[in-house]
Amino acid sequence: MALVVIGGNAAGLSAAARARRVDPRLEIVVLEKGPTVSYAACGLPYFVEGRVPQIADLAGYTPEYFRKERQIDVRTLAPVAAISHPRREVVLESGAQVRYEKLVIATGARGAMPRLPGADLPHVFTLHTLDDADRMRRFLRERQPKSAVVVGAGYIGVEVADALRRNGLRVTILERTQHALLRGEESFTAAVRKQLELHGVELRTGVTVSAIEPGAVAGVAGDMVVVAAGFHPNAELARAAGIEIGPTGAIRTDDRMETSLRGVFAAGDCAQVTHLVSGRPTWIPLGTTANKTGRVAGANAAGGRERFPGIVGTSIVSVFGMGFATTGFSAAEARAEGFSPTVARIEAYSRPRYYQGAKTIVELVADRATRRLLGGVVIGEDGAAGRIDVIATALQSRLRVDEFEQLDLAYSPPFAPVWDPVLIAAQQLLKEL
Amino acid sequence: MALVVIGGNAAGLSAAARARRVDPRLEIVVLEKGPTVSYAACGLPYFVEGRVPQIADLAGYTPEYFRKERQIDVRTLAPVAAISHPRREVVLESGAQVRYEKLVIATGARGAMPRLPGADLPHVFTLHTLDDADRMRRFLRERQPKSAVVVGAGYIGVEVADALRRNGLRVTILERTQHALLRGEESFTAAVRKQLELHGVELRTGVTVSAIEPGAVAGVAGDMVVVAAGFHPNAELARAAGIEIGPTGAIRTDDRMETSLRGVFAAGDCAQVTHLVSGRPTWIPLGTTANKTGRVAGANAAGGRERFPGIVGTSIVSVFGMGFATTGFSAAEARAEGFSPTVARIEAYSRPRYYQGAKTIVELVADRATRRLLGGVVIGEDGAAGRIDVIATALQSRLRVDEFEQLDLAYSPPFAPVWDPVLIAAQQLLKEL
């Protein structure tokens, strides 16, 4: 009996490690297409920035570690060409075959613009792997670029822009849509733009990039270019094996992270999960979900019985020290999901004024019909993560605004005002309902 | 028709202001025994510290403001001697009578040791009012004391100890019980003691203070003494008027903040509320509860219909920059309430190690029978407030540990690790259940 895991990063290794705990005797093989496993992908922008001094600080456990300490056979440079479920077999590109009884697919996601003309020019970068980060940092040191163009205003694009600006470069972000980060909303993008501009980064929205030229992108000059324009789930291998793909384009899973093929599980950025606010499928590739779904897939593949109910889509990104945090649905998203949303947006201080609080924006979305909370935004330099987590917890608990407004939150001048900004937003929202 | 409010601070003025919004034409009289109203009592330690430069920064609205802007008649130096409900009359110590139709009692709490021998010596202080803080600050400046004894290790005692130590004094805290701050638990007190000692403050527990001598308290020498030894609810006026007092010693209220006398409401530190984890009466005098119960009492007294369901007992105190946060019940308290508690305590980092996280202790308490979360502790220099608020939200939502462990919390290296410490604690707790 063997468990095979395709993919050796957050989801895949979480699955393998959890399977080992559930069944100490299970044979476990992890097949990773790249040269390394288990690195801290979310730390890459901070290595580019220079805050994380050594790339080794982001490297995780080695295949040797997994082999010796966990009895997990991790094979790197082992790209998979096909899954033959009738034969319970994974076929590598090398032609080698690996038999499985249970399979976890954790193939991740990839950049959405891999074939952009000019993408292979030496001054063009992506930021997915340790090598990418290393190469970028070396380029900064050796070539001393004065300007950069970042293609894409998603979280990686914005984090890279922040990192490059802190290295003294003139930075322009080009974004195809009208929006930045993970909230398709005008007021949110306006706040991101304001913070970027305050720190000397220009954000141009509605710009389609169709090619990279040696000295410029879409007419914007840049000594270096970073392409960070969205993700696609790596679902082709699964699709070719006859596994059902969901409406999001990612692999359909149930709440045990099992796919449409019995005994085959999927986890991480290649898998679709349930949005707990709507109850519908969603695909929001984030490290937290990768780790959690990996654990559940691994436990169940090893004979356990665990559930992953879903996500509420919580995220936070630091833009020059200011947290931009979102959870649940925006009003527009809620409307598209069939709710009748109403919104309150307030500005308040993160602490009493006499204790120098930071300006904090809180937006809450609720359903008029049920008064249920549907989503929220918190923007601020102090406490944004904790505040969005309170809203996320409320979403997951299906609280009504009336209940949310009654929350007994911690108060003390060094930490929060007596009426926390999230409660002020709830009071405002109650007036709108 | 007149609403009379006894007490002109957090609860009383919240009640008056809210009543005004509910009924723009109501006659509203606030009777305050002291010379000022509406000051930021929780800011007093930070004025003593010197961080808040002017005592005026802590003064709130004036009686003139309330009169002109809110049409609320705020009378200072108007101590109340008695309530005669059959006559719908409040009798002032001056002999004057004020008629009411609705009454809100917001008489607050007082120090538990008012008659300690030596309490009137010139080097002895309490810290309840702006005058107290002003006097203490002046003493520090003019007399340059080298050492201080603080009687009581509750939150005010610890905050004052912190403030005095930052002014260069040698500080000893004497505490009657074996515990510090708001958690009667050995490990919690050990953590408080460790942090105090790290910053040069000595905490002696199990010390009963029966008198203050000119140069020493219980054998500990001190150039100044601060008495901050617990609170008692000011419930005598209510009791004398025939209003029912609860088992906590505070005024019994229903979820509209109405007392046993129809039309008479109570709010703030003099009132008992419901603990939402046990469903039983509790008395935890804190500013958040004072403001919230004040609002509800005021709204209902003015003819509105609002509810205050209760609290979960959330608090946070900064001890030299480290947050000591608690919510719900400790294991011992949970046992006393009839639960069969189990506890998990973990130490983790507030951010990924490569991003210099701070050590964070999380303790979670759950009920074996129902798997419901009953309480939590968070101790750390980074994000303790947000993390305790997540636990508080979960308590108020009556989440089971299984649900709590699935929370979709925000992750990004500048803010939190991929597995937040509260989730790691939940994973640990699941193993114990």
Side-chain angles (χ1 to χ4, degrees):
Chain A
M1 156 68 183
L3 165 63
V4 172
V5 177
I6 307 177
N9 281 295
L13 292 175
S14 294
R18 186 84 181 129
R20 169 56 66 237
R21 262 190 225 108
V22 170
D23 182 349
R25 304 208 269 179
L26 186 64
E27 185 189 336
I28 305 176
V29 179
V30 176
L31 303 171
E32 164 58 36
K33 70 173 190 288
T36 53
V37 292
S38 166
Y39 61 90
C42 302
L44 298 176
Y46 310 101
F47 173 73
V48 171
E49 179 190 332
R51 169 187 292 262
V52 174
Q54 307 288 337
I55 194 80
D57 298 334
L58 300 178
Y61 296 119
T62 60
E64 290 64 43
Y65 167 86
F66 283 103
R67 209 163 290 141
K68 283 191 190 146
E69 302 297 323
R70 308 279 188 106
Q71 292 76 53
I72 295 171
D73 178 8
V74 173
R75 306 181 193 169
T76 53
L77 298 171
V80 170
I83 300 163
S84 169
H85 191 61
R87 310 169 78 176
R88 300 293 189 274
E89 208 173 79
V90 165
V91 184
L92 302 190
E93 283 185 8
S94 66
Q97 293 149 10
V98 185
R99 300 262 307 154
Y100 67 80
E101 189 168 334
K102 297 286 171 63
L103 181 66
V104 174
I105 302 175
T107 43
R110 64 180 180 281
M113 299 180 81
R115 298 194 189 289
L116 195 64
D120 51 358
L121 289 168
H123 73 305
V124 180
F125 300 82
T126 55
L127 191 59
H128 298 308
T129 66
L130 295 178
D131 271 358
D132 290 343
D134 210 24
R135 211 184 121 231
M136 211 187 290
R137 186 85 200 137
R138 226 166 31 234
F139 188 88
L140 286 175
R141 203 170 47 235
E142 291 168 8
R143 308 290 283 274
Q144 308 269 329
K146 298 281 169 289
S147 62
V149 177
V150 176
V151 181
Y155 61 91
I156 296 181
V158 169
E159 284 169 353
V160 168
D162 178 320
L164 294 177
R165 180 69 192 138
R166 288 181 198 251
N167 276 272
L169 281 74
R170 206 168 58 248
V171 181
T172 308
I173 305 177
L174 305 179
E175 165 62 36
R176 186 178 53 79
T177 70
Q178 293 302 327
H179 302 302
L181 299 182
L182 291 171
R183 196 81 169 187
E185 210 167 29
E186 211 173 304
S187 60
F188 189 78
T189 301
V192 174
R193 187 194 304 278
K194 188 176 161 193
Q195 175 72 353
L196 286 169
E197 284 177 355
L198 193 65
H199 291 84
V201 171
E202 193 188 346
L203 169 63
R204 297 195 192 174
T205 51
V207 179
T208 301
V209 172
S210 49
I212 298 167
E213 285 138 62
V217 184
V220 180
D223 300 338
M224 70 185 287
V225 177
V226 182
V227 180
F231 292 109
H232 281 319
N234 289 326
E236 290 75 8
L237 208 57
R239 185 195 298 269
I243 293 169
E244 202 176 324
I245 305 302
T248 63
I251 302 168
R252 172 168 237 150
T253 56
D254 64 13
D255 69 354
R256 303 179 63 243
M257 300 314 296
E258 198 163 17
T259 70
S260 61
L261 291 185
R262 194 107 188 235
V264 179
F265 299 79
D269 291 355
C270 67
Q272 177 179 287
V273 295
T274 299
H275 199 299
L276 291 170
V277 177
S278 65
R280 297 217 180 90
T282 190
W283 182 68
I284 305 175
L286 287 173
T288 40
T289 309
N291 277 275
K292 287 173 186 169
T293 55
R295 261 172 78 98
V296 171
N300 290 330
R305 289 189 61 81
E306 296 197 0
R307 280 183 69 239
F308 183 74
I311 63 170
V312 293
T314 313
S315 74
I316 188 165
V317 179
S318 170
V319 185
F320 298 102
M322 183 172 284
F324 287 80
T326 64
T327 190
F329 293 131
S330 68
E333 289 167 339
R335 207 168 292 119
E337 294 284 345
F339 295 104
S340 57
T342 186
V343 184
R345 184 185 169 89
I346 62 102
E347 222 179 271
Y349 283 83
S350 65
R351 298 192 281 220
R353 274 172 186 260
Y354 62 77
Y355 209 98
Q356 281 114 43
K359 248 187 208 173
T360 300
I361 292 171
V362 178
E363 193 178 293
L364 291 177
V365 181
D367 184 39
R368 279 183 195 284
T370 59
R371 303 175 77 88
R372 228 183 98 200
L373 211 56
L374 301 175
V377 165
V378 180
I379 301 172
E381 292 186 333
D382 175 37
R387 290 186 172 100
I388 206 71
D389 284 347
V390 166
I391 303 172
T393 303
L395 290 181
Q396 215 145 337
S397 307
R398 305 177 78 87
L399 290 197
R400 286 179 297 112
V401 185
D402 317 71
E403 295 164 318
F404 186 85
E405 190 245 353
Q406 303 279 10
L407 288 177
D408 184 12
L409 304 180
Y411 157 56
S412 175
F415 303 101
V418 68
W419 290 105
D420 193 90
V422 302
L423 298 183
I424 296 173
Q427 291 173 353
Q428 184 59 38
L429 188 52
L430 280 175
K431 290 183 200 156
E432 320 271 333
L433 278 170
Chain B
M1 154 73 183
L3 165 65
V4 172
V5 177
I6 307 178
N9 281 295
L13 292 175
S14 294
R18 186 85 180 124
R20 168 57 66 236
R21 264 192 223 104
V22 170
D23 183 349
R25 303 207 268 179
L26 186 63
E27 185 188 337
I28 305 176
V29 178
V30 176
L31 303 171
E32 163 57 36
K33 69 172 189 290
T36 54
V37 292
S38 164
Y39 61 92
C42 301
L44 298 176
Y46 311 100
F47 173 73
V48 171
E49 179 190 330
R51 169 188 291 265
V52 174
Q54 306 290 336
I55 195 79
D57 298 334
L58 299 178
Y61 295 118
T62 59
E64 289 65 42
Y65 167 86
F66 282 103
R67 210 164 290 143
K68 282 192 189 147
E69 302 297 323
R70 308 280 188 104
Q71 290 77 53
I72 295 172
D73 178 8
V74 174
R75 307 182 191 167
T76 54
L77 300 171
V80 170
I83 299 165
S84 169
H85 191 60
R87 309 170 78 176
R88 301 292 190 277
E89 207 174 77
V90 165
V91 183
L92 302 190
E93 284 186 6
S94 66
Q97 294 150 10
V98 184
R99 300 262 308 153
Y100 67 79
E101 189 167 338
K102 297 288 170 63
L103 181 67
V104 174
I105 302 174
T107 42
R110 64 180 178 279
M113 299 181 78
R115 300 195 187 289
L116 195 64
D120 51 359
L121 288 169
H123 73 304
V124 181
F125 300 84
T126 54
L127 190 59
H128 298 309
T129 66
L130 294 178
D131 270 359
D132 290 342
D134 208 26
R135 207 184 124 230
M136 210 188 288
R137 187 81 202 139
R138 225 166 30 233
F139 188 88
L140 286 175
R141 205 172 43 236
E142 290 168 7
R143 308 288 284 273
Q144 308 270 332
K146 298 280 169 287
S147 63
V149 177
V150 176
V151 181
Y155 60 91
I156 294 180
V158 170
E159 284 169 353
V160 167
D162 177 320
L164 295 176
R165 180 69 192 137
R166 288 180 198 250
N167 277 272
L169 281 75
R170 207 168 58 248
V171 181
T172 308
I173 304 177
L174 305 179
E175 165 63 34
R176 187 178 51 82
T177 71
Q178 294 300 327
H179 302 303
L181 298 182
L182 292 172
R183 197 84 168 182
E185 209 166 31
E186 212 174 304
S187 60
F188 189 78
T189 301
V192 174
R193 187 194 304 280
K194 189 175 161 195
Q195 175 72 354
L196 286 170
E197 283 177 356
L198 193 65
H199 292 84
V201 171
E202 193 188 348
L203 169 63
R204 297 195 191 173
T205 50
V207 179
T208 300
V209 171
S210 48
I212 298 167
E213 284 137 64
V217 184
V220 180
D223 300 336
M224 69 185 286
V225 178
V226 182
V227 180
F231 291 110
H232 280 319
N234 289 326
E236 289 75 8
L237 208 56
R239 186 194 299 268
I243 293 169
E244 202 177 325
I245 305 301
T248 63
I251 301 169
R252 173 168 238 149
T253 56
D254 63 14
D255 68 354
R256 302 177 66 243
M257 301 313 297
E258 197 162 16
T259 69
S260 61
L261 290 187
R262 192 102 187 243
V264 178
F265 299 80
D269 290 357
C270 66
Q272 176 178 288
V273 295
T274 299
H275 199 300
L276 291 171
V277 177
S278 65
R280 296 216 182 91
T282 191
W283 183 68
I284 306 175
L286 287 172
T288 40
T289 309
N291 277 275
K292 288 173 186 169
T293 54
R295 261 172 78 96
V296 171
N300 291 331
R305 289 188 61 81
E306 296 196 359
R307 279 184 68 241
F308 182 74
I311 63 170
V312 292
T314 312
S315 74
I316 187 164
V317 179
S318 171
V319 186
F320 297 103
M322 183 172 283
F324 287 79
T326 65
T327 189
F329 292 131
S330 69
E333 288 166 339
R335 206 169 293 116
E337 293 285 346
F339 295 103
S340 57
T342 186
V343 184
R345 184 184 168 93
I346 62 102
E347 220 178 274
Y349 283 82
S350 65
R351 298 192 282 218
R353 272 171 188 262
Y354 61 77
Y355 209 99
Q356 282 114 44
K359 248 188 210 172
T360 300
I361 292 171
V362 178
E363 194 179 292
L364 291 177
V365 181
D367 184 41
R368 280 183 196 283
T370 59
R371 303 175 76 87
R372 229 181 98 199
L373 211 56
L374 301 176
V377 164
V378 180
I379 301 172
E381 292 186 332
D382 175 35
R387 290 186 172 100
I388 205 71
D389 283 347
V390 166
I391 303 171
T393 304
L395 290 182
Q396 216 146 337
S397 306
R398 305 177 78 86
L399 290 196
R400 286 179 297 113
V401 185
D402 317 70
E403 296 165 317
F404 187 84
E405 189 244 355
Q406 302 278 9
L407 288 179
D408 184 11
L409 303 180
Y411 158 55
S412 176
F415 303 101
V418 67
W419 290 106
D420 193 90
V422 301
L423 298 183
I424 296 173
Q427 291 172 355
Q428 185 59 37
L429 189 53
L430 281 175
K431 289 183 200 155
E432 320 273 333
L433 278 171

